Amino acid sequence: MAKRVQKPRSSAPSRRTTAIASAGSQGAFERIADALERLAGGIPETPRFAAADAFSWHPDERRLAPVANVNRVEMSLLKGIDRVRDVLLENTERFARGLPANNALLWGARGMGKSSLVKAVHAQVNVAHARGKGGNGPLKLIEIHREDIESLPDLMALMRGAPYRFIVFCDDLSFEAEDTSYKSLKAMLEGGIEGRPDNVVFYATSNRRHLMARDMMENERSIAINPGEAVEEKVSLSDRFGLWLGFHRCSQDEFLQMVDGYIAHYRIAHPREKTHPEALEWATTRGARSGRVAWQYVQDLAGRLGVKLEERGRKTNDQ
């Protein structure tokens, strides 16, 4: 009787195993390809706008990072800027209701509440929305840094068509002689093919009315073939803002009102006959009277008296 010859086991994988391995490899390759394409800037991450009411823009990653707690001051503590406060608030309320609104440039004296007003207006409009007093949804505040202005087209692409309305905010915006990034801002505000999306408005603060240093403008006049055209080309950027809101140095009475407002808000027990002379001396040593200087004095006073301001409300370092 002949022996049955046993066939050696095949080392080749089964069809089922091969299919599973192939599918797994394909999925891994797709994930790697997506990651590489995202790193190359091909596919920006879809923002989760519902995660917060404020975001900071990170252009290197083409990402919007949620800001859980915005460093802001209550509107009632902003003194001496009643007119510009009302104008910006009305413009923002119209924008929140889906009506036409202007881009705004808040310019002027240091420490007088330019950036704080933008953040306070954003908060107040959203509070009114939460109470059911109008608006198409909560406004989203997007902060972009001055050095990232050239990435504005990428940021606009993420917001265009989103079911929210956005305030893009740039604090302390200005440009130097060799800086050409202002052209990206000009195209975004007006003049580009796509232009500013209907659901976006741009607010900026600056110490310079025309966003350019005076000596830079004078230098352009001195070296250009056509001085008028050279200056106009740069100054035309500020013309793209429909609202120019000027902030000027406050009077002594307004400065003391700012100090009194902070002290009352945080319930700091200190007699006025001592507070006012101390606050004026504090302002004299710093050579300025402003909301920022008033806040700095109140911080010093609270520290001396052992009062923790965080327990009374939110603090700010830029009124």
Side-chain angles (χ1 to χ4, degrees):
M1 181 174 173
K3 285 187 177 181
R4 179 181 296 175
V5 179
Q6 187 175 0
K7 293 183 180 181
R9 290 185 179 181
S10 174
S11 60
S14 66
R15 292 183 179 179
R16 182 171 179 273
T17 304
T18 303
I20 293 175
S22 176
S25 299
Q26 184 177 1
F29 287 140
E30 288 177 354
R31 289 194 297 271
I32 293 172
D34 290 343
L36 290 174
E37 196 166 358
R38 189 169 286 116
L39 286 173
I43 305 177
E45 182 180 351
T46 302
R48 294 178 58 249
F49 290 122
D53 286 344
F55 298 82
S56 61
W57 169 238
H58 296 264
D60 293 340
E61 306 169 20
R62 301 181 72 185
R63 179 175 63 90
L64 286 166
V67 178
N69 296 310
V70 178
N71 182 24
R72 65 170 112 239
V73 64
E74 290 186 12
M75 186 84 77
S76 61
L77 294 176
L78 299 174
K79 308 291 185 183
I81 56 172
D82 295 354
R83 187 190 68 81
V84 293
R85 176 200 64 200
D86 294 343
V87 171
L88 188 66
L89 180 60
E90 182 181 354
N91 188 71
T92 309
E93 287 173 339
R94 288 201 305 264
F95 175 68
R97 294 197 301 270
L99 298 173
N102 276 307
N103 303 308
L105 174 61
L106 291 72
W107 67 274
R110 304 186 310 272
M112 279 303 297
K114 299 185 290 294
S115 61
S116 288
L117 180 60
V118 172
K119 292 181 284 188
V121 163
H122 168 253
Q124 183 151 321
V125 170
N126 277 352
V127 167
H129 164 75
R131 293 173 179 169
K133 294 184 179 179
N136 297 333
L139 284 179
K140 305 297 180 180
L141 182 66
I142 311 293
E143 182 180 34
I144 182 172
H145 296 295
R146 177 255 165 279
E147 58 270 19
D148 299 329
I149 286 296
E150 286 186 323
S151 68
L152 263 174
D154 291 337
L155 177 57
M156 294 297 152
L158 293 179
M159 295 183 291
R160 194 182 300 272
Y164 294 98
R165 303 186 74 77
F166 302 91
I167 299 173
V168 177
F169 170 51
C170 184
D171 190 24
D172 198 20
L173 179 64
S174 62
F175 300 94
E176 302 304 328
E178 303 301 324
D179 195 346
T180 60
S181 60
Y182 69 92
K183 295 181 180 180
S184 297
L185 181 56
K186 285 176 62 176
M188 190 279 292
L189 295 177
E190 287 180 22
I193 294 178
E194 288 186 307
R196 172 170 58 93
D198 293 336
N199 62 336
V200 176
V201 72
F202 189 84
Y203 288 175
T205 70
S206 179
N207 295 331
R208 301 168 177 174
R209 182 175 183 179
H210 292 292
L211 303 174
M212 312 284 179
R214 181 177 294 276
D215 59 349
M216 172 182 167
M217 295 168 62
E218 291 173 352
N219 184 59
E220 288 282 359
R221 289 191 177 95
S222 65
I223 64 175
I225 297 176
N226 191 323
E229 290 182 359
V231 173
E232 286 297 319
E233 198 269 337
K234 289 182 169 60
V235 172
S236 63
L237 170 60
S238 58
D239 292 340
R240 261 71 171 180
F241 293 89
L243 290 181
W244 283 11
L245 303 177
F247 290 68
H248 308 287
R249 298 187 183 280
C250 62
S251 65
Q252 177 174 299
D253 290 342
E254 289 171 335
F255 174 73
L256 293 176
Q257 288 176 14
M258 295 171 185
V259 172
D260 291 341
Y262 279 123
I263 288 177
H265 179 74
Y266 292 106
R267 301 186 183 94
I268 300 174
H270 198 59
R272 182 173 294 185
E273 56 270 19
K274 290 185 179 181
T275 300
H276 284 189
E278 289 178 2
L280 292 176
E281 181 181 0
W282 182 275
T284 301
T285 60
R286 278 142 189 82
R289 290 192 299 260
S290 68
R292 182 181 292 123
V293 173
W295 170 245
Q296 290 168 347
Y297 164 72
V298 171
Q299 286 187 109
D300 179 78
L301 176 64
R304 287 189 279 117
L305 298 178
V307 177
K308 294 184 178 181
L309 299 179
E310 292 84 355
E311 296 177 358
R312 307 292 184 181
R314 284 180 180 166
K315 65 184 182 67
T316 178
N317 59 5
D318 178 25
Q319 188 195 334

